[in-house]
Amino acid sequence: MINSQKKKTGVIAPKRFVQRLKKQNELFRSYMHQDAHEFLNFLLNELVDILEKEAQAGKKEAETLSPSEKNANGPKNPQANGVKKEPLVTWVHKNFQGILTNETRCLRCETVTARDEAFLDLSLDIEQNSSITSCLKNFSSTETLNAEDKFFCDKCCSLQEAQKRMKIKKPPLILVIHLKRFKYIEQLGGYKKLSYRVVFPLELKLSNTVEDADSEYSLFAVVVHVGSGPNHGHYVSLVKSHNHWLFFDDENVEMIDESAVQTFFGSAQEYSSNTDHGYILFYESLGANNKS
């Protein structure tokens, strides 16, 4: 429905959406608790699969056209010398996909090896009384590879000490940040929820990108986990619409003040009665309105 409608905005009834989801994946047919981040990953990847299948079906249909029709509707940029065609870029990719670059610098010859990888969301480790900016800084911090972790340098043709860091090369239009609130504790033999206080600003600047040092984002949605542990709980959402913040709790929707967003940063003390913590953050690029 999203793909076929001509309008840029619209609504789909939640009941119909959930029915379709249950049909698509048996995991969601039971009343068992599901993780919101895993759900988001499933949803985006499933949408990409559906869109790619539809595009392939459309392509096969086009291939049945007569030669003259084929030429008229042919690809604008045909690949020369049988080079592999680029994968289909869907509206999911256009909105959510960014590119990370993994840089490794050999400390002997100073050669930098860079490897790009696409991402639809960023999962960040969190610390007590921190902020999204400091979490992103840690994500992109330099790590030294030595002793047993030495890097094989192609130029030196041997294992060498090296420095490694991850950077955001191309920031996405919609930046999805997942806070790693569930940590495996070996002594417990299971996961524990980290209720750490992590400040997420309404306006976020990405100062650690390669091509665009001043990528600015605005917060427009937050998925909140309510509960003291990883095996039970509830999800609610805060969504900004027409400059108003709305609080969604199942079928209940109410308007809240913008200042209420900070009550979901987390708990400054480990043991607190507040169990409502920001879990997934959605930021929109402030330059997004100017881009096609």
Side-chain angles (χ1 to χ4, degrees):
M1 283 172 71
I2 295 169
N3 206 35
S4 58
Q5 70 173 9
K6 286 172 184 169
K7 290 180 185 176
K8 279 195 173 181
T9 58
V11 291
I12 291 172
K15 264 188 179 174
R16 290 190 64 188
F17 175 74
V18 173
Q19 281 168 359
R20 183 72 177 85
L21 195 70
K22 286 180 176 178
K23 191 179 170 186
Q24 202 74 16
N25 190 322
E26 61 182 24
L27 260 183
F28 304 115
R29 289 173 207 160
S30 71
Y31 289 97
M32 280 177 66
H33 289 278
Q34 303 296 336
D35 179 76
H37 180 240
E38 288 176 7
F39 165 72
L40 176 68
N41 280 333
F42 163 76
L43 184 63
L44 293 179
N45 287 311
E46 193 69 15
L47 284 170
V48 167
D49 285 350
I50 292 167
L51 294 169
E52 285 177 345
K53 280 173 191 167
E54 282 185 1
Q56 282 171 0
K59 192 181 162 192
K60 279 180 185 172
E61 207 174 295
E63 282 170 358
T64 61
L65 296 170
S66 66
S68 57
E69 285 173 309
K70 257 189 194 175
N71 293 338
N73 302 312
K76 300 279 187 293
N77 301 308
Q79 298 283 344
N81 305 325
V83 175
K84 193 180 175 186
K85 287 184 182 177
E86 288 293 309
L88 177 74
V89 178
T90 68
W91 51 263
V92 175
H93 296 113
K94 284 176 185 171
N95 283 304
F96 293 96
Q97 187 170 278
I99 294 171
L100 289 170
T101 187
N102 200 334
E103 289 182 355
T104 310
R105 180 189 297 275
C106 173
L107 293 179
R108 185 185 175 204
C109 68
E110 293 292 316
T111 300
V112 176
T113 306
R115 193 183 81 246
D116 289 354
E117 56 184 86
F119 69 93
L120 295 178
D121 70 295
L122 288 180
S123 289
L124 301 181
D125 288 309
I126 60 173
E127 291 173 358
Q128 179 58 292
N129 293 318
S130 59
S131 67
I132 291 300
T133 307
S134 65
C135 291
L136 282 166
K137 208 172 179 180
N138 288 341
F139 178 79
S140 292
S141 61
T142 303
E143 177 191 350
T144 302
L145 304 174
N146 53 23
E148 292 166 14
D149 297 323
K150 282 184 181 178
F151 167 74
F152 186 87
C153 175
D154 287 339
K155 195 169 182 184
C156 299
C157 295
S158 59
L159 289 169
Q160 296 294 336
E161 288 193 357
Q163 283 185 330
K164 179 183 164 188
R165 69 174 302 195
M166 190 82 89
K167 278 185 180 178
I168 298 171
K169 183 176 180 179
K170 186 188 171 207
L173 290 183
I174 304 294
L175 176 65
V176 181
I177 294 175
H178 161 239
L179 302 179
K180 292 184 182 176
R181 286 209 176 269
F182 303 112
K183 187 180 182 181
Y184 186 80
I185 309 292
E186 216 166 299
Q187 295 92 320
L188 294 174
Y191 286 87
K192 176 191 176 184
K193 182 181 177 183
L194 304 177
S195 59
Y196 297 163
R197 187 173 189 271
V198 181
V199 175
F200 44 89
L202 294 171
E203 305 295 326
L204 175 70
K205 256 191 183 179
L206 286 187
S207 54
N208 210 22
T209 62
V210 177
E211 292 168 6
D212 190 354
D214 292 318
S215 295
E216 290 186 56
Y217 285 87
S218 177
L219 184 73
F220 73 92
V222 183
V223 173
V224 173
H225 181 267
V226 181
S228 55
N231 301 318
H232 52 84
H234 181 57
Y235 288 106
V236 296
S237 299
L238 317 172
V239 180
K240 190 178 184 181
S241 177
H242 302 284
N243 288 319
H244 293 289
W245 279 93
L246 299 170
F247 179 80
F248 291 83
D249 183 356
D250 288 344
E251 68 272 20
N252 301 314
V253 181
E254 59 181 279
M255 202 177 285
I256 58 167
D257 194 72
E258 189 172 74
S259 61
V261 173
Q262 60 191 297
T263 61
F264 301 98
F265 287 168
S267 315
Q269 290 86 29
E270 190 175 346
Y271 300 103
S272 166
S273 57
N274 174 25
T275 64
D276 306 7
H277 310 118
Y279 183 48
I280 307 173
L281 314 172
F282 293 80
Y283 281 94
E284 181 180 21
S285 169
L286 289 176
N289 298 329
N290 309 322
K291 295 174 186 176
S292 57

